[in-house]
Amino acid sequence: METIILAVVIAVVVLGALGGLIVGSRRRKPLPPPPPEAPDITAPPAEPHVGDEAETPRDEPRRTIEEVDLPGGPAPVVVEEPPVVEAPEIEIPEPTAGRLVRLRTRLSRSQNALGKGLLTLLSREHLDEDTWEEIEDTLLTADVGVQPTQELVERLRERVRVLGTRTPEELRGLLREELLTLIGTEVDRTVRTEPEDRKPGIVMVVGVNGTGKTTTTGKLARVLVADGRSVVLGAADTFRAAAADQLQTWGERVGAYTVRGPEAGDPASVAFDAVKEGKEMGVDVVLIDTAGRLHTKTGLMDELGKVKRVVEKHAPLDEVLLVLDATTGQNGLVQARVFAEVVDITGIVLTKLDGTAKGGIVIAVQRELGVPVKLVGLGEGADDLAPFEPEAFVDALIGE
């Protein structure tokens, strides 16, 4: 019996041990992972558009570009079309005759102080030495010059002594005769532009800068065109900035062709080309504007001499005009002497012969150079240049 109970206890213990081993082995085995669950799929957020916020679009009213306030910034660039360049309108210059009438009137208003002063002095009852000294001072102040003044005073004293009683008309006639004698009425004052054996006539214009040389060349072209002549302009003043542009503008206004070269180029080359073009085109006159920025005699002689020699390879010069500023008075005679030494001057152009100038410079410069004044200018107008007429000039000086 005890044996049976002992056997049963051992069997229970063995069974319990086996059960524990089985349960422990089961615990040490990893459990399989649970099956994956299906993920929740959501739609990706919409990409923002211009003007939208960076979030899912909402049903809101959209604004047009006109309704959106843009930040301040540079103004939009407006591209303008280039303006259409129109050809300059060709002007019809005033005829020479009408120009002379107008200039004579202006000269009479501005220049008769000399004549009136002389007539007042000569009308005194007694012409003593003091009066004659006043007459002499009046002539010198008017830029007549020392030698011409002495000659005029001597002749006036002799004529007044012989004449005796003097009426205003007699005094005026006396003064007119003596002034015309000094100026000269028999001198040929024609600007030579019409050679008999060939075309074109060649005119060279010289003078220092500031006297109105380029402007005078342009005005002379207008005078010639007004008289029915065809003209080519040679812009040989290559040293002064914009001189060629200035001359070309004058030419375009009256339909004259301008030959020009590079700035600071060879003036003689431009002059040569101008005469060549003039011959090929068959024009009547070639006007050559030369440089004036020549401070020494050597430079002046070299440049002007070279221009003259090169031009004369085509044909001889018909006219060399010296332009002088009448307002410089006796100082202008210094310039005149220098130019006369280096080039054969054939005529003088007196510019700015308005109220600030003194009429006596006409007498002085002719006496100094031995060549006549051929043209005068009285202002800045395009047609303020005219042939010089001694009778009209003297009448304007002493009053008609």
Side-chain angles (χ1 to χ4, degrees):
M1 187 68 178
E2 293 177 354
T3 305
I4 294 171
I5 294 172
L6 181 60
V8 171
V9 173
I10 293 171
V12 171
V13 172
V14 171
L15 290 174
L18 291 173
L21 292 172
I22 294 171
V23 171
S25 63
R26 287 181 177 179
R27 286 178 180 177
R28 287 190 294 269
K29 290 182 181 181
L31 297 176
E37 298 181 358
D40 295 333
I41 300 175
T42 59
E47 295 182 359
H49 298 283
V50 176
D52 295 336
E53 297 179 356
E55 61 180 16
T56 304
R58 293 171 293 182
D59 294 335
E60 293 182 354
R62 300 296 181 90
R63 294 178 295 172
T64 63
I65 188 63
E66 291 79 5
E67 297 172 338
V68 177
D69 294 331
L70 298 177
V77 178
V78 179
V79 180
E80 298 182 356
E81 297 183 359
V84 179
V85 180
E86 299 181 355
E89 183 179 353
I90 296 178
E91 301 176 5
I92 301 177
E94 182 180 355
T96 303
R99 190 184 304 120
L100 283 172
V101 172
R102 181 164 54 87
L103 292 184
R104 188 180 299 116
T105 302
R106 293 180 58 181
L107 182 63
S108 177
R109 289 199 304 265
S110 62
Q111 297 290 331
N112 58 12
L114 169 63
K116 286 184 177 180
L118 291 177
L119 287 175
T120 300
L121 291 172
L122 291 172
S123 300
R124 291 181 179 178
E125 185 176 355
H126 299 289
L127 295 179
D128 53 15
E129 289 299 323
D130 291 339
T131 302
W132 286 112
E133 287 184 5
E134 289 185 48
I135 293 174
E136 187 171 334
D137 290 341
T138 301
L139 293 169
L140 291 174
T141 304
D143 289 331
V144 174
V146 176
Q147 187 65 30
T149 294
Q150 292 176 349
E151 294 178 9
L152 179 58
V153 169
E154 288 300 322
R155 288 203 297 266
L156 285 174
R157 294 182 73 158
E158 183 64 27
R159 296 282 300 272
V160 169
R161 187 181 303 113
V162 173
L163 184 62
T165 305
R166 305 173 301 279
T167 64
E169 292 77 13
E170 291 173 333
L171 286 174
R172 183 185 179 282
L174 173 63
L175 186 58
R176 184 178 188 276
E177 290 178 11
E178 295 301 333
L179 288 173
L180 284 176
T181 300
L182 278 180
I183 294 174
T185 56
E186 304 299 326
V187 182
D188 182 12
R189 301 181 186 274
T190 304
V191 179
R192 296 192 294 271
T193 58
E194 299 181 79
E196 298 180 356
D197 56 341
R198 58 179 169 79
K199 288 178 64 174
I202 306 173
V203 179
M204 187 166 72
V205 182
V206 301
V208 299
N209 286 341
T211 59
K213 177 172 48 62
T214 301
T215 300
T216 296
T217 306
K219 290 181 179 181
L220 179 56
R222 293 179 65 88
V223 172
L224 294 171
V225 170
D227 293 337
R229 317 290 299 285
S230 55
V231 179
V232 162
L233 299 173
D237 185 355
T238 59
F239 295 101
R240 183 170 66 88
D245 294 336
Q246 181 184 359
L247 188 63
Q248 183 169 352
T249 300
W250 277 102
E252 290 174 348
R253 293 170 65 177
V254 295
Y257 179 68
T258 303
V259 177
R260 55 187 298 177
E263 187 173 339
D266 183 13
S269 176
V270 177
F272 181 87
D273 292 340
V275 178
K276 180 181 178 182
E277 289 284 343
K279 293 178 68 175
E280 293 176 354
M281 296 171 63
V283 300
D284 297 314
V285 186
V286 174
L287 300 178
I288 302 173
D289 178 31
T290 60
R293 189 180 298 171
L294 304 169
H295 302 293
T296 64
K297 287 187 178 182
T298 302
L300 180 65
M301 184 176 298
D302 291 345
E303 288 297 337
L304 292 182
K306 182 180 178 182
V307 171
K308 181 180 179 181
R309 290 193 304 271
V310 169
V311 168
E312 289 180 337
K313 291 181 179 180
H314 285 296
L317 284 169
D318 298 290
E319 194 81 66
V320 179
L321 297 176
L322 172 63
V323 180
L324 292 177
D325 183 345
T327 62
T328 61
Q330 295 294 314
N331 292 331
L333 297 182
V334 178
Q335 302 172 6
R337 295 188 194 102
V338 174
F339 278 91
E341 291 175 3
V342 299
V343 67
D344 296 328
I345 297 171
T346 59
I348 301 165
V349 182
L350 279 178
T351 62
K352 307 176 187 178
L353 195 63
D354 53 15
T356 60
K358 293 137 182 172
I361 188 64
V362 173
I363 300 171
V365 72
Q366 289 189 151
R367 180 65 63 90
E368 178 68 30
L369 299 183
V371 295
V373 172
K374 294 190 173 184
L375 296 167
V376 291
L378 290 181
E380 299 298 330
D383 292 317
D384 285 342
L385 183 74
F388 178 71
E389 291 185 347
E391 292 83 359
F393 181 77
V394 171
D395 288 339
L397 281 180
I398 63 178
E400 297 186 24

